[in-house]
Amino acid sequence: MLETPTALIVDYIDEHKHEFGVEPICATLSAAGTQIAPSTYYAAKTRPPSARSLRDEQVLVEIRRVHEANYGVYGARKVHAQLRREGLQVARCTVERLMRAAGL
């Protein structure tokens, strides 16, 4: 899954909250220049995934399938063209972004 900077910070807090607690970690990160409030952490943990992130997960499955079916040599342009031929409506910039994030 693709992660935003807030998601990275939330993951970091998740890893260390049992040792230090959420509020002290947030205070230390804020003192170091990374602003995050405990309420932001808790809100990020309880909100449902966005429509974009859900769609990205579905499209990434198809991108991986097409990429692997073509011996891992197709770039974003050819993967996009193949997905469009198969009837999946997706923008080429989305294919590029997801392939880059997935390391394809």
Side-chain angles (χ1 to χ4, degrees):
M1 178 194 282
L2 308 173
E3 296 195 16
T4 62
T6 301
L8 292 173
I9 295 169
V10 168
D11 289 344
Y12 177 81
I13 293 171
D14 282 342
E15 289 176 23
H16 301 287
K17 71 179 179 182
H18 301 295
E19 186 176 354
F20 301 108
V22 173
E23 287 79 11
I25 292 173
C26 290
T28 303
L29 289 174
S30 294
T34 303
Q35 296 292 332
I36 184 164
S39 60
T40 304
Y41 167 78
Y42 292 117
K45 294 298 289 179
T46 59
R47 88 173 57 101
S50 67
R52 178 182 173 174
S53 65
L54 293 174
R55 169 87 168 142
D56 283 353
E57 289 177 21
Q58 295 169 346
V59 172
L60 188 56
V61 168
E62 296 301 317
I63 289 172
R64 287 185 193 277
R65 179 186 56 77
V66 169
H67 190 260
E68 290 172 11
N70 292 286
Y71 308 103
V73 297
Y74 268 20
R77 187 176 58 86
K78 288 186 176 182
V79 169
H80 173 257
Q82 181 62 35
L83 292 173
R84 296 291 297 229
R85 279 192 293 272
E86 294 175 3
L88 182 64
Q89 297 297 316
V90 60
R92 189 172 78 196
C93 60
T94 300
V95 173
E96 292 168 353
R97 176 177 55 83
L98 294 175
M99 287 183 72
R100 186 178 313 111
L104 301 177

